[in-house]
Amino acid sequence: MEERLGITVFPSVVIGLGEFGLRIIERVRSEIIEVEPKLELITSFVAVRGAGEGRIKAFSLTDSPIEGECVDMPRREAFQTFQIALPEVQVQLHEAIRKVRLHRSLVAVGKRPEEIGIYVYIVADLKEGISSGIILPLSYQVRGLLADQPYHSIVGLFSIANFSPPLEQQRERAMLYAALKELDYFIRMPYDKPSVNEIMGFPVKGPPLNHCYLFDVTKEDGSLVEGPEELRSAMSCFLLSLLISSFEEEMGKRLHRLGLAERGGFYSGGGVAVLYYPVDRVTTWCAAKLGANFIEEQLLRPSRLNLSALSEEGEQAGEEALSLKKWMGKLIDGIPARMTGKGLHIELEVDRPNFDEIAKEDWADRIASFDSLFGTHRFPLYQRKLEENASRLHERVISRLSKALDSALTEARLYPSGIPGARKILEKFEETLAKRKQELEQYRAEFPLDPEGDLRTLEEAALNFPPFPALLARLLLLCILEVYLGLSFFQLLDFLSLFSLLSLFALCLLTVVSGLCWFKRKDDLLIQKRERCMENVGRKYSAMLETQALAKIRETIQKVEEWIGEMRAKLDELWNELEEAQNKLYQAMEASLVAAEPFVRLAVSEEVLRDFYLRFVPSKEALLSSLLEEEGLLNNWKDLKEGIIREKLLSFGKKAFRGPLRGVSLEQILRERIPPSPEERLRPLLDLAVPLLKFNLEGLGEGLSAWPGDFIALENFSSSVLSSFISKELREMEHFSTGDPYHVFLCRTRHLLPLISIGTVARLLRELYQKVDKEERKALHLLDEWADLPEPSVSGQRVGGREC
């Protein structure tokens, strides 16, 4: 089913001239999108302003920031420069008109392309040279581009207010009168005169404007506009009311019925008062409050700390990351060494020489040589490897500790804890690190006691070790001697028998076995001395490597301590940034309640805002999960600044509140909030809606008067709580249902005012203009000959029995 908008806005192109016009259309564009984002499909905003180097630039307004400075220039220079910039301006105007006429855009908002016209609003300050210099050619250009449009209307909203110091006012007012004089002449004269085509440099197909509104510093009731900001605000709200209501269409129909549709020469004044539900401001207020409360209750001063979970988290992370044995294992990774199981001691694997191929007397020299070669070639490789491991050790340790600390700030399962919780984690790290330092003090590398003495003992033992053949020879001689003596002894006793021979054999065997056992014991002792010397080599280098590793562990402990100190400082910085962000969020809340315009009344109070906040605020669980884990609020918390924190919280809060708050209408607020009553809210607007134009019709002709056009525009008149009050108290005002759920516009307008009826122009501007020297007066105009244009006068044409 085709979606239709309830808003009554028509396809419109809004053109802002100069700095003044640009600021107004910037604001109106944001307000139109706030009312209904889809309205951007059928509303184009184009700015034409002076740029550097004497150029005129035209560009379409988008969400992108506007670059460059707006430069003003004299009227005549602007008029001539415009001819050069005309191709670029034509492109932008054509694109703006094409956009609002697109069939799909109109259908998307429920408009019938064949039944609808286009409205063009030109906003300018006639005191700006560039604005008053290009209004005529620009208006004629727009008229030409709309020539094939069945119905279109070009409306000017021009400021003639002067806030300059008195010394500057004379020439500015003289120039202003020159601009009005030209404008008045061309909207009165027949547009098909050849002279107009020649002057403009292109074919002219209609009057420059259907009609225009003038806004002065003096209001209809004689009060004054306080300053430029109030004037811009008044014109912005008035333009918004014309865009959203059908007043401009209705007025065009009446002018057509009165026979004035194609005739110029008259002007309009207007003023507006607005009752406003500022959904964007309310969204900002709720988002700022959400952010400020989140900082207070979850990050800075949590109402309760999840101490048990944090203590367990910190202790577990500390035990795992700050284990000295794990550190030592990481340090000797890639080195042929192992932990001995006794504290932090390590045992380096040392390759052994093949002693079977080495003479015993050379063992000591071979071990000494091996020691020297191992210390010169192999051991430095192990040292370098340990250095490499050590260079990564503290990074790994700190990385694991950082993850635990980050989790205390970024994981919803540990909340509420905030910065106090993160500090608790650091305290646990410090406690664990202090224990490790005490453990480390108990370990000392164990070097061999006297490796050189052991080598000397080995050398002496090897030199004194008997050769095996000599030992066998000695044993043989000893056996022969024992047999000889035994036989001699048994012969003397005359006891030589088989038993005596067996005894002698047993004695010889015992002698040989005893000798061999003695030799074996000597050999084992020598091997033990050799092994001791080899163990001394391994123990020496193991102790040296262990000493180096313990030094690296101490360095890591020192770096972890430094890291803990840095993290404390970072948490303090984050605390300060969060407090600053909180203060800025409170300021955003206060600013959103301030109505900058004296004629705009907000329909919300602090009570309403608090009610909206409590009604639509996300649950604490959803808030924590979304902000900390999905949105990553405190990711990279060490580098977070106030602005980033504030923008993240505002962005999240706006997303959370925008949908529900856009669903609330001004009508709902008026119905729910008593006091004040809806009538009491609307009544003050009657005194605020004063046209910003002082006029005087006395002496200009019998029966001449200004045609009033007062109206009130609201979402739906028939169902509004205000309808009864409007019908009874404001019967003279027309009402329009806009479909706009956020504004009630009360507008007072005056039409059919000839230029000379405007008091400021008639009495002051003309006098100042005539005081200027004739030659200088020519320079005020776009062309010298235009200084001779006829002065504005009352038209002789009758309207409804009155001359106008």
Side-chain angles (χ1 to χ4, degrees):
M1 184 175 178
E2 184 181 286
E3 181 182 359
R4 297 184 65 85
L5 290 180
I7 309 298
T8 60
V9 68
F10 296 98
S12 304
V13 177
V14 185
I15 305 172
L17 306 184
E19 178 76 14
F20 184 86
L22 173 61
R23 297 307 164 212
I24 288 180
I25 67 172
E26 277 183 321
R27 170 179 168 170
V28 172
R29 177 179 179 272
S30 65
E31 297 246 0
I32 270 253
I33 295 174
E34 177 184 2
V35 171
E36 172 51 66
K38 282 189 176 181
L39 294 182
E40 197 174 15
L41 292 173
I42 56 171
T43 312
S44 292
F45 293 87
V46 178
V48 182
R49 66 174 189 171
E53 301 176 357
R55 296 175 297 119
I56 290 179
K57 300 283 290 182
F59 55 90
S60 176
L61 232 59
T62 63
D63 292 326
S64 303
I66 298 171
E67 298 180 355
E69 184 181 359
C70 187
V71 179
D72 198 14
M73 59 182 70
R75 295 188 69 232
R76 184 173 295 188
E77 181 183 345
F79 179 72
Q80 296 167 350
T81 306
F82 185 80
Q83 309 303 319
I84 301 173
L86 188 57
E88 177 186 346
V89 175
Q90 284 178 325
V91 169
Q92 292 295 335
L93 293 176
H94 183 272
E95 178 60 25
I97 294 170
R98 186 193 69 83
K99 170 191 167 184
V100 302
R101 293 172 66 180
L102 283 174
H103 184 274
R104 64 175 179 270
S105 298
L106 296 171
V107 171
V109 295
K111 302 295 183 183
R112 294 178 179 272
E114 67 278 6
E115 297 177 358
I116 206 160
I118 290 181
Y119 293 86
V120 179
Y121 298 93
I122 301 176
V123 185
D125 182 354
L126 294 184
K127 297 185 310 303
E128 290 183 354
I130 187 169
S131 299
S132 63
I134 68 174
I135 282 175
L136 285 173
L138 177 73
S139 302
Y140 281 126
Q141 272 295 318
V142 173
R143 183 73 73 186
L145 293 172
L146 293 175
D148 61 340
Q149 181 69 26
Y151 177 76
H152 61 271
S153 178
I154 304 176
V155 181
L157 281 77
F158 302 142
S159 166
I160 59 172
N162 196 316
F163 300 99
S164 302
L167 293 178
E168 301 177 15
Q169 288 186 4
Q170 180 171 345
R171 181 170 179 81
E172 282 190 2
R173 289 181 172 177
M175 183 192 75
L176 176 59
Y177 185 78
L180 286 170
K181 182 178 178 181
E182 295 168 2
L183 181 65
D184 188 71
Y185 174 76
F186 279 96
I187 63 178
R188 286 173 179 272
M189 72 174 292
Y191 60 83
D192 56 352
K193 280 191 173 183
S195 58
V196 180
N197 296 338
E198 294 174 4
I199 293 169
M200 295 303 157
F202 51 82
V204 173
K205 299 181 180 181
L209 301 168
N210 288 71
H211 73 280
C212 63
Y213 292 89
L214 298 180
F215 298 85
D216 195 10
V217 71
T218 306
K219 301 180 184 179
E220 184 182 79
D221 61 2
S223 60
L224 299 178
V225 176
E226 293 185 0
E229 188 59 37
E230 181 180 338
L231 179 69
R232 280 194 293 267
S233 180
M235 292 181 65
S236 299
C237 290
F238 189 80
L239 174 59
L240 185 64
S241 72
L242 295 182
L243 285 170
I244 291 180
S245 75
S246 55
F247 173 76
E248 189 60 36
E249 181 193 34
E250 182 62 27
M251 202 191 80
K253 293 177 181 178
R254 295 189 181 186
L255 291 177
H256 184 78
R257 287 197 300 268
L258 293 171
L260 298 174
E262 301 300 327
R263 189 187 71 81
F266 66 88
Y267 302 85
S268 303
V272 65
V274 185
L275 184 60
Y276 179 32
Y277 163 45
V279 63
D280 277 354
R281 291 193 198 180
V282 174
T283 302
T284 299
W285 189 94
C286 290
K289 182 175 179 60
L290 181 69
N293 287 353
F294 181 81
I295 290 174
E296 178 71 19
E297 298 171 4
Q298 305 297 333
L299 302 181
L300 296 181
R301 301 171 186 88
S303 56
R304 64 178 179 86
L305 290 179
N306 195 354
L307 293 179
S308 59
L310 286 171
S311 298
E312 183 179 345
E313 185 85 9
E315 189 171 356
Q316 182 179 355
E319 290 292 338
E320 291 179 358
L322 302 176
S323 169
L324 298 184
K325 288 188 176 182
K326 289 184 178 180
W327 290 8
M328 184 63 81
K330 293 293 184 182
L331 287 173
I332 63 174
D333 185 35
I335 299 174
R338 63 183 181 87
M339 304 278 297
T340 62
K342 298 178 180 179
L344 299 178
H345 296 306
I346 60 174
E347 183 178 308
L348 187 64
E349 295 180 8
V350 179
D351 295 336
R352 299 170 55 81
N354 188 359
F355 288 102
D356 293 339
E357 300 176 357
I358 303 172
K360 288 181 174 59
E361 60 272 18
D362 295 331
W363 281 3
D365 291 338
R366 185 69 180 86
I367 291 173
S369 175
F370 175 82
D371 184 357
S372 175
L373 290 173
F374 186 87
T376 304
H377 299 288
R378 184 68 60 81
F379 187 67
L381 298 178
Y382 299 158
Q383 287 180 308
R384 285 197 292 272
K385 183 62 177 178
L386 190 142
E387 288 287 343
E388 291 177 8
N389 294 340
S391 67
R392 296 190 296 269
L393 176 63
H394 77 275
E395 295 176 359
R396 292 174 178 172
V397 173
I398 289 176
S399 175
R400 295 193 66 181
L401 295 176
S402 293
K403 288 179 181 178
L405 180 60
D406 291 345
S407 69
L409 287 168
T410 59
E411 292 186 16
R413 66 185 180 86
L414 294 177
Y415 268 73
S417 60
I419 292 181
R423 287 172 175 161
K424 184 68 178 178
I425 292 281
L426 287 180
E427 289 177 9
K428 282 296 179 182
F429 291 165
E430 281 186 316
E431 292 175 7
T432 305
L433 198 62
K435 294 177 184 177
R436 299 295 177 262
K437 289 176 70 175
Q438 292 178 355
E439 293 175 13
L440 190 62
E441 294 301 321
Q442 301 173 7
Y443 298 111
R444 293 289 184 273
E446 297 179 354
F447 286 89
L449 296 177
D450 188 11
E452 294 181 358
D454 290 339
L455 275 176
R456 285 195 301 270
T457 301
L458 174 64
E459 185 177 12
E460 291 173 3
L463 291 174
N464 294 328
F465 191 80
F468 188 68
L471 175 64
L472 290 178
R474 289 178 185 176
L475 291 175
L476 181 59
L477 290 174
L478 185 58
C479 288
I480 293 172
L481 181 61
E482 288 176 345
V483 171
Y484 174 76
L485 292 175
L487 289 174
S488 299
F489 177 73
F490 284 120
Q491 286 177 354
L492 287 175
L493 296 177
D494 194 21
F495 190 67
L496 187 63
S497 63
L498 180 61
F499 176 76
S500 59
L501 291 175
L502 292 173
S503 299
L504 289 175
F505 177 76
L507 180 63
C508 290
L509 182 62
L510 180 62
T511 300
V512 172
V513 171
S514 299
L516 291 175
C517 289
W518 175 84
F519 182 84
K520 179 68 170 61
R521 186 167 60 253
K522 283 285 189 179
D523 187 64
D524 289 343
L525 289 174
L526 187 63
I527 290 174
Q528 288 179 8
K529 293 181 185 294
R530 182 194 72 191
E531 292 302 315
R532 180 178 178 82
C533 290
M534 286 302 300
E535 288 177 4
N536 286 340
V537 173
R539 190 181 305 165
K540 179 180 74 172
Y541 287 108
S542 295
M544 291 172 63
L545 196 66
E546 189 177 305
T547 301
Q548 183 181 355
L550 292 175
K552 295 302 177 183
I553 288 176
R554 291 187 179 92
E555 288 181 12
T556 300
I557 288 177
Q558 182 179 357
K559 288 179 180 179
V560 172
E561 287 179 330
E562 293 172 356
W563 174 82
I564 291 175
E566 291 174 4
M567 292 304 101
R568 287 190 180 279
K570 289 293 183 182
L571 286 174
D572 290 341
E573 290 178 13
L574 179 60
W575 184 286
N576 295 333
E577 296 295 337
L578 286 167
E579 283 189 327
E580 181 66 18
Q582 186 182 33
N583 291 334
K584 292 291 181 66
L585 289 170
Y586 284 137
Q587 292 173 15
M589 290 172 61
E590 294 175 1
S592 65
L593 283 175
V594 177
E597 306 83 9
F599 35 82
V600 175
R601 293 293 181 262
L602 299 184
V604 292
S605 60
E606 287 194 45
E607 178 188 358
V608 175
L609 292 173
R610 285 193 296 269
D611 177 64
F612 284 165
Y613 180 81
L614 295 174
R615 192 188 307 179
F616 302 124
V617 66
S619 68
K620 183 178 293 185
E621 293 74 15
L623 183 62
L624 286 171
S625 175
S626 298
L627 272 174
L628 296 178
E629 295 176 352
E630 295 174 17
E631 301 289 334
L633 172 66
L634 293 183
N635 289 351
N636 303 317
W637 60 269
K638 304 176 191 68
D639 301 317
L640 282 182
K641 297 300 180 185
E642 172 273 323
I644 298 175
I645 297 170
R646 175 166 45 86
E647 288 304 317
K648 281 188 173 184
L649 288 170
L650 279 175
S651 175
F652 173 81
K654 287 178 179 179
K655 285 191 291 185
F657 284 101
R658 183 175 288 114
L661 288 173
R662 283 192 66 82
V664 178
S665 68
L666 175 56
E667 187 69 27
Q668 288 175 259
I669 297 173
L670 294 177
R671 289 182 182 277
E672 293 177 7
R673 299 295 157 185
I674 300 174
S677 67
E679 294 79 7
E680 290 172 332
R681 289 178 180 271
L682 191 59
R683 188 171 281 111
L685 301 185
L686 299 174
D687 298 326
L688 296 175
V690 179
L692 274 65
L693 194 63
K694 177 73 173 175
F695 59 89
N696 180 10
L697 300 176
E698 294 179 7
L700 296 181
E702 184 179 353
L704 186 65
S705 64
W707 176 46
D710 299 344
F711 70 95
I712 185 167
L714 66 168
E715 182 181 9
N716 190 326
F717 176 78
S718 61
S719 62
S720 174
V721 69
L722 298 170
S723 58
S724 176
F725 174 77
I726 295 172
S727 299
K728 293 178 181 178
E729 304 291 334
L730 305 176
R731 289 190 301 272
E732 75 284 359
M733 302 189 74
E734 295 188 68
H735 51 78
F736 298 96
S737 295
T738 64
D740 173 7
Y742 308 134
H743 299 84
V744 171
F745 297 102
L746 195 151
C747 294
R748 295 188 185 277
T749 60
R750 300 291 180 267
H751 305 281
L752 303 179
L753 297 169
L755 192 61
I756 60 171
S757 71
I758 302 169
T760 305
V761 175
R763 291 193 304 271
L764 183 59
L765 298 184
R766 185 173 179 178
E767 293 176 5
L768 294 173
Y769 172 81
Q770 291 177 342
K771 288 181 179 179
V772 176
D773 180 82
K774 187 172 182 179
E775 292 301 317
E776 292 184 10
R777 198 183 303 168
K778 291 181 180 180
L780 297 177
H781 288 274
L782 301 183
L783 298 174
D784 286 348
E785 56 268 29
W786 286 5
D788 299 325
L789 292 177
E791 299 294 334
S793 63
V794 181
S795 170
Q797 198 167 0
R798 289 184 174 272
V799 179
R802 300 184 179 89
E803 285 192 355
C804 180

